[in-house]
Amino acid sequence: MNVHHNAHTTNDAYILHSHVIDNIDVVQSTAEDAPAIMNLLLQTAQWLNSKGSTQWSGLLRGEDHHNTTESASRGDVYLFKDGESLAGIVTLLRSPSAWDINLWGEEGHERAVYLHRLAINREYGGRNLGDAMLQWVHTSIRFEGKDRIRLDCIDSNPQLDTFYRSAGYTYAGHSDAGFYLFERMQQLRQQM
């Protein structure tokens, strides 16, 4: 794959551009980032709860179906930082979690990356950071042998449904567990 000369590579992830918007840049997580990541996720779950949403409510009960601490240690969480401040995060799994297999089925995972836990520090709300983060996922990172991004969202939140469709995701089904499934194809670089 032909990588921009400033590309950063870790494992099979190729960060082509680390700058997102304004003063926000992306760094790949390490194990030391796990407490800050979990803190942001808990704050987001509390905020969602205050808005009447049950989304991510498991986090408020100490449940983390996506094993975020392990994901951070593997470098599967990407931190969107404004200097030292954590503005947002997104998890990009190169291998499906048990959650993903439950929703998407047993087959067809080898070419997919699974997007989970896109979260924004509320201090950065209203700045279109979510759009910018998703755009970064689509244009500024690639994974060896992967050509699609998959995600799920709770079916009781029409704003998420609209958000992902407007970002170029195609509806791929509805799970019995109450989640919409979305997929977006990515162009593979020919040489890396």
Side-chain angles (χ1 to χ4, degrees), residues 129-141:
L129 180 56
D131 291 330
M133 290 169 62
L134 211 48
Q135 185 63 26
W136 178 85
V137 168
H138 301 154
T139 62
S140 297
I141 187 167

Side-chain angles (χ1 to χ4, degrees), residues 98-150:
W99 175 268
D100 298 317
I101 292 169
N102 183 49
L103 293 181
W104 289 86
E106 295 288 333
E107 303 295 323
H109 298 282
E110 50 282 332
R111 299 192 65 80
V113 170
Y114 293 86
L115 186 151
H116 291 289
R117 303 288 197 217
L118 190 149
I120 297 166
N121 179 330
R122 297 317 317 154
E123 293 177 23
Y124 292 85
R127 302 183 193 183
N128 294 320
L129 180 56
D131 291 330
M133 290 169 62
L134 211 48
Q135 185 63 26
W136 178 85
V137 168
H138 301 154
T139 62
S140 297
I141 187 167
R142 291 291 178 265
F143 298 90
E144 184 85 30
K146 307 293 185 177
D147 67 359
R148 64 200 70 206
I149 303 286
R150 287 181 170 173

Side-chain angles (χ1 to χ4, degrees), residues 65-80:
H65 300 291
H66 296 294
N67 299 316
T68 304
T69 300
E70 289 177 30
S71 294
S73 295
R74 284 192 312 266
D76 288 339
V77 181
Y78 295 85
L79 288 68
F80 293 75

